[in-house]
Amino acid sequence: MKSAMQPASPDNFSPATQALLDRAEGLCTRQGARLTQQRREILGLILDAPTPVGAYDLLEQIKSPERKPAPPTVYRALDFLLEHGLIHRIEKLSAFVACTHLLHNDHAHDCAHDHHHDDMCLHTAQFLICRSCKNVTEISTPAILDAVRATCRAEGFVIQSASVEIEGLCAACAQKRPAPAHAH
Amino acid sequence: MKSAMQPASPDNFSPATQALLDRAEGLCTRQGARLTQQRREILGLILDAPTPVGAYDLLEQIKSPERKPAPPTVYRALDFLLEHGLIHRIEKLSAFVACTHLLHNDHAHDCAHDHHHDDMCLHTAQFLICRSCKNVTEISTPAILDAVRATCRAEGFVIQSASVEIEGLCAACAQKRPAPAHAH
DNA sequence: TACACTATGTTATATTATCACATCTAGTGT
DNA sequence: ACACTAGATGTGATAATATAACATAGTGTA
């Protein structure tokens, strides 16, 4: 009677989440890395969260009567997930979200290298952050990335990573609470 | 004999910096705000720093035998300067830089509203962050901003602020220490 | 088994930022 | 000059985020 409402702690993830975790594991294996239980759990919690999660939120969530992990446990897992492109850090929020490449089942099975290889190696990502509902949407607009690349080429700047964080109101929230047309 | 080498603490700023501070004061006045001594000092230190400065660096710098300010002193000044568009926060570095609009003397005297009004109200900024020499360059590429705006329009997202932070190697450092052409 | 390598546990601490409340100061109106 | 008010600053405590350093345990391989 309660199995459906269990907290998602020690691997009580939904089948959908498990499927994503399995995909992530595949990605890691191909990179010669291991998605351990610990990392899998952290990634699962991030996947299931409706909005970006802070490191200390995760820390609380993985605590149990038997296990009282310390911050490094979480940060190490986060570092791993970041390095392997499974999650992103939203700088403005000091919080973490799953990479959409992982989430989008569209071209499911061998999506492993479906996204542009460039984009991966550049650790590039773009986010729309809603200040009202706290939802964060990862977008992949070639136009923005192209503009960034063009600028860097012009400056002779060698890009290693680029992040675009746009704060404001998402379409849904903008309707409910439209931005005041401020006079000046 | 030592006046030229004094630490830049209690308003020992160069004439050039003083000029910028005066400009900043003008900007504030027009906005009905006051650039107090304290705020002026913090802004001066940021202007004079070669690279972005952390809040606690500033805190150390404004300490003197007579004055031992606490963190809120610095953060309050920083908040003020941010709100009035005189500085930016580099999220990836948790550090602060002067806004280039303030620095560029090109069209000097009444530059107060020279930059696009839009850009100011949007709190928009773009940075090239060199991981080698730590220099940060603020760029103002219309192409990037346009691409961002176009994307948001398409999504129905209302932009309140947007930041683009690009990490890598500046032209100078890229030559000295070229990025390894990594095999895969 | 022995070894090397990776991952995890554990304690302490560093770094960045804010809260809450007291005090002071500058401008305003009388 | 006076009192009033709003903004600015001082002060002490604490919150929130992140890392260092070193010990231990697991995993794959010769």
Side-chain angles (χ1 to χ4, degrees):
Chain A
M1 202 59 172
K2 72 175 189 185
S3 65
M5 291 307 278
Q6 278 174 0
S9 290
D11 242 40
N12 294 326
F13 294 120
S14 71
T17 303
Q18 292 290 0
L20 291 173
L21 290 172
D22 291 343
R23 270 234 325 261
E25 189 156 355
L27 285 172
C28 288
T29 306
R30 269 175 264 191
Q31 296 179 36
R34 290 157 52 204
L35 190 67
T36 62
Q37 252 339 88
Q38 185 115 241
R39 292 164 178 169
R40 197 181 163 93
E41 186 179 1
I42 299 282
L43 179 55
L45 291 170
I46 295 173
L47 281 167
D48 278 359
T51 56
V53 208
Y56 279 74
D57 284 348
L58 292 167
L59 185 57
E60 286 309 309
Q61 292 189 252
I62 64 172
K63 277 183 181 162
S64 74
E66 319 89 56
R67 255 170 91 238
K68 309 282 179 205
T73 297
V74 169
Y75 281 102
R76 280 194 284 236
L78 290 171
D79 287 345
F80 174 91
L81 298 171
L82 285 168
E83 274 165 19
H84 293 81
L86 301 172
I87 62 172
H88 296 288
R89 182 192 151 94
I90 310 291
E91 301 291 342
K92 289 198 180 180
L93 304 178
S94 296
F96 304 83
V97 290
C99 174
T100 50
H101 291 133
L102 191 55
L103 284 146
H104 284 6
N105 275 349
D106 332 357
H107 27 47
H109 56 298
D110 66 342
C111 155
H113 273 157
D114 237 40
H115 34 57
H116 291 163
H117 190 243
D118 273 359
D119 298 4
M120 280 306 281
C121 285
L122 285 179
H123 288 117
T124 271
Q126 306 148 24
F127 303 97
L128 299 179
I129 305 167
C130 180
R131 282 179 172 151
S132 174
C133 66
K134 311 303 178 194
N135 271 304
V136 170
T137 310
E138 183 176 352
I139 56 179
S140 302
T141 313
I144 296 179
L145 189 51
D146 288 348
V148 166
R149 273 203 270 252
T151 300
C152 291
R153 212 169 22 246
E155 301 262 343
F157 190 93
V158 178
I159 307 185
Q160 289 172 349
S161 86
S163 71
V164 179
E165 298 187 2
I166 306 170
E167 282 186 305
L169 298 176
C170 70
C173 292
Q175 284 202 316
K176 291 180 219 154
R177 187 226 288 190
H182 71 165
H184 204 56
Chain B
M1 201 57 172
K2 72 175 186 185
S3 65
M5 290 307 278
Q6 278 174 0
S9 288
D11 243 40
N12 295 327
F13 295 119
S14 71
T17 303
Q18 292 289 0
L20 291 173
L21 290 172
D22 291 343
R23 272 238 317 266
E25 189 156 355
L27 284 173
C28 288
T29 306
R30 268 175 264 191
Q31 295 179 38
R34 290 158 50 205
L35 190 68
T36 61
Q37 256 333 93
Q38 186 114 242
R39 293 163 177 169
R40 196 180 164 94
E41 186 179 0
I42 299 283
L43 179 55
L45 290 170
I46 295 173
L47 281 166
D48 278 359
T51 57
V53 208
Y56 279 75
D57 284 347
L58 293 167
L59 184 58
E60 286 309 310
Q61 292 189 254
I62 64 173
K63 276 183 181 161
S64 73
E66 319 90 53
R67 255 168 93 240
K68 309 283 179 206
T73 296
V74 169
Y75 281 102
R76 281 195 284 236
L78 291 171
D79 286 346
F80 175 91
L81 298 171
L82 285 169
E83 275 165 19
H84 292 83
L86 301 172
I87 63 172
H88 295 287
R89 182 191 150 94
I90 311 292
E91 302 291 341
K92 289 197 178 179
L93 304 177
S94 296
F96 303 84
V97 289
C99 174
T100 49
H101 291 133
L102 191 55
L103 284 146
H104 284 6
N105 275 349
D106 332 357
H107 27 48
H109 56 296
D110 67 342
C111 154
H113 273 156
D114 237 39
H115 35 55
H116 291 163
H117 190 242
D118 273 0
D119 298 4
M120 280 305 281
C121 284
L122 284 180
H123 288 117
T124 271
Q126 305 148 22
F127 303 98
L128 298 179
I129 305 166
C130 180
R131 281 180 173 149
S132 175
C133 67
K134 310 304 177 194
N135 272 304
V136 169
T137 309
E138 183 176 352
I139 56 180
S140 302
T141 312
I144 297 179
L145 189 52
D146 288 348
V148 166
R149 274 203 269 251
T151 300
C152 292
R153 211 166 25 242
E155 301 262 344
F157 190 93
V158 178
I159 306 184
Q160 289 172 349
S161 86
S163 71
V164 179
E165 299 187 1
I166 306 169
E167 283 186 304
L169 298 176
C170 70
C173 291
Q175 284 202 318
K176 290 180 220 153
R177 188 227 287 190
H182 72 165
H184 203 55

